[in-house]
Amino acid sequence: MQVRRRSVVTVSESSKVWKELAKCSGGVWKDVFHLRGKGSLLAVQTYGPGMQVQYETAGVCDQDFDVVVPAKKILPLIESDHPLKIVVKGDKVFLRSGRSSYKVNTNPVIPPSIITGEPSDLCSLLKKHLVTALQIGSKCASTKDDYPPYRGGVLLSVTDILRVCSTDSKRLATVTTPIFTVSKGDVLIPVKAARNVASLLAVIPDIEHVTLAVTDTTLVIYAFGLRITVMKIDAAYPNVKPLFDKPREQSETMSKADAVGALKRLNAFADSRIVLQPSHMVALAADGLAIERLECDSVKEVSFEYSYPLLIAGVDSVASKDFTWHTEKSTGALTIESGDDPLSHKYILMPIETSPERMAAIKSQWEEVVSGGHS
């Protein structure tokens, strides 16, 4: 009589990690875990369009196994307070945790791996710095398919620092962080992949440093027990370097809490746009005008108008308590800068074209509001 072998592995891992792993899946392999048990490790792999993640967690299995199971069958058990026991017997997987016992039929098809060459290291950096850089640096990327490819991407540029940036042509966000540089280069990856990487890294414990490496077609992010492979976007990126190297004009320091409060109070009047100068914010509506005086000493003429949603998004993205902002006189480009060492963050917003008639109406009503209705 032939004895059918079975494999048993017990794992105890944060449910947050498994949930983020599931979010990295997509396409035909959405909500699928590829589980491979070998020796003292359980490897969990997920696959999405142009992205593959392999995460290894501790476990003890008596026989090697290689199975594909639905993520939604495992996640409820991972969330319990008990360790999860995975028993693989032929084409069936038995899941046990506390008083719960499940039987799951496996998918006979093993997902194909992203084929890459031998990666070359670019740099190493603190995991927490990469997480912050990807979270903030990806804020201006578009998720729409009808945009040119670079607008749906996040650029990682490695020199003596790592610069992460994104743009939708109306605004640009960038974050710089110190690194240990091995080589130099630029990599453009999809915004969804960048955000998934940040969310996953944020919840994985016991990883302090990560390394970025590249092949001809992929970016590889790896650390002990973790390997994330992302397909590059094959598209040229606009030359945004002059925006970063341009000498800074006189800027004003603002409290984030004060700026957010002022913007929220202006919401009822904003009509999707805000006139901004260092000492005031002004919002014009069909039935009135509102002015918020800011805590700074500059006095300038009203000059440029900006998208209200994009302006408040830029101020909201500030990670520190205070930030500086300045407006370039020739173009009206508004630059919001913030960050505590060693991270530095810039958000650049282009103005909305405003007719002379509209600006004249704003100035006229401004004077009326300031006088309080007294002639």
Side-chain angles (χ1 to χ4, degrees):
M1 183 178 70
Q2 184 179 6
V3 178
R4 299 186 71 182
R5 285 181 161 187
R6 72 173 191 163
S7 301
V8 181
V9 61
T10 301
V11 294
S12 181
E13 186 62 87
S14 166
S15 62
K16 292 181 180 178
V17 175
W18 287 73
K19 285 180 179 178
E20 292 301 333
L21 284 168
K23 290 178 183 178
C24 292
S25 65
V28 296
W29 302 109
K30 183 172 175 58
D31 296 329
V32 166
F33 285 146
H34 180 190
L35 306 179
R36 294 187 295 113
K38 188 171 184 178
S40 60
L41 292 174
L42 171 67
V44 185
Q45 290 186 218
T46 59
Y47 306 81
M51 183 176 180
Q52 178 179 316
V53 180
Q54 177 173 308
Y55 175 67
E56 294 178 346
T57 185
V60 179
C61 53
D62 51 4
Q63 298 289 338
D64 296 351
F65 63 86
D66 192 342
V67 295
V68 177
V69 296
K72 64 182 180 181
K73 300 292 197 302
I74 292 182
L75 289 177
L77 299 182
I78 288 287
E79 292 174 353
S80 73
D81 296 329
H82 304 279
L84 171 65
K85 180 177 286 188
I86 303 172
V87 180
V88 180
K89 192 172 183 180
D91 60 351
K92 295 181 177 62
V93 176
F94 299 87
L95 307 172
R96 296 172 186 165
S97 179
R99 298 180 180 180
S100 304
S101 298
Y102 297 179
K103 182 190 80 171
V104 180
N105 294 331
T106 62
N107 187 331
V109 180
I110 301 296
S113 297
I114 295 177
I115 300 173
T116 62
E118 188 63 29
S120 301
D121 287 353
L122 280 177
C123 66
S124 296
L125 70 159
L126 287 172
K127 180 193 78 170
K128 64 181 181 180
H129 289 174
L130 179 60
V131 169
T132 301
L134 290 175
Q135 287 173 337
I136 298 177
S138 67
K139 283 188 176 292
C140 292
S142 171
T143 55
K144 296 181 180 179
D145 295 333
D146 58 343
Y147 276 77
Y150 76 82
R151 296 183 187 173
V154 178
L155 182 70
L156 287 76
S157 181
V158 177
T159 53
D160 54 338
I161 57 172
L162 171 65
R163 183 186 299 280
V164 178
C165 66
S166 61
T167 181
D168 59 6
S169 296
K170 299 174 184 176
R171 54 187 178 147
L172 181 145
T174 179
V175 179
T176 59
T177 180
I179 54 175
F180 174 73
T181 306
V182 177
S183 183
K184 296 181 180 181
D186 294 345
V187 185
L188 184 62
I189 62 172
V191 60
K192 183 179 179 184
R195 292 171 182 171
N196 282 342
V197 169
S199 297
L200 176 59
L201 289 175
V203 298
I204 293 180
D206 305 325
I207 291 180
E208 204 168 318
H209 291 82
V210 294
T211 299
L212 307 185
V214 290
T215 69
D216 289 341
T217 58
T218 63
L219 168 70
V220 181
I221 303 167
Y222 68 90
F224 181 75
L226 175 70
R227 185 183 180 93
I228 305 171
T229 305
V230 180
M231 295 295 293
K232 297 179 185 177
I233 295 177
D234 185 16
Y237 204 78
N239 181 19
V240 294
K241 192 172 183 291
L243 294 172
F244 310 134
D245 296 339
K246 188 173 293 187
R248 188 199 304 192
E249 300 178 19
Q250 182 180 0
S251 58
E252 303 298 333
T253 300
M254 278 289 299
S255 156
K256 176 181 177 179
D258 290 346
V260 170
L263 283 166
K264 288 184 176 178
R265 288 191 294 274
L266 290 175
N267 184 40
F269 288 84
D271 194 23
S272 298
R273 45 177 66 190
I274 290 284
V275 172
L276 182 65
Q277 64 171 162
S279 58
H280 294 85
M281 291 181 187
V282 184
L284 174 67
D287 55 354
L289 178 138
I291 300 173
E292 286 283 341
R293 181 168 176 80
L294 306 178
E295 290 292 332
C296 53
D297 299 326
S298 295
V299 178
K300 293 184 181 179
E301 289 295 318
V302 177
S303 51
F304 297 105
E305 200 167 17
Y306 300 91
S307 161
Y308 176 80
L310 299 188
L311 177 57
I312 198 167
V315 174
D316 260 337
S317 70
V318 170
S320 52
K321 292 182 179 179
D322 299 311
F323 63 91
T324 61
W325 62 14
H326 63 274
T327 304
E328 186 178 308
K329 294 179 182 178
S330 59
T331 65
L334 171 69
T335 299
I336 296 172
E337 294 188 66
S338 67
D340 301 319
D341 288 337
L343 296 177
S344 174
H345 165 225
K346 275 188 181 181
Y347 182 93
I348 302 173
L349 178 62
M350 299 306 294
I352 297 172
E353 187 173 346
T354 305
S355 68
E357 293 78 15
R358 178 177 172 86
M359 195 59 72
I362 291 172
K363 289 183 178 181
S364 173
Q365 292 195 47
W366 180 320
E367 294 170 0
E368 187 180 5
V369 171
V370 170
S371 68
H374 301 288
S375 55

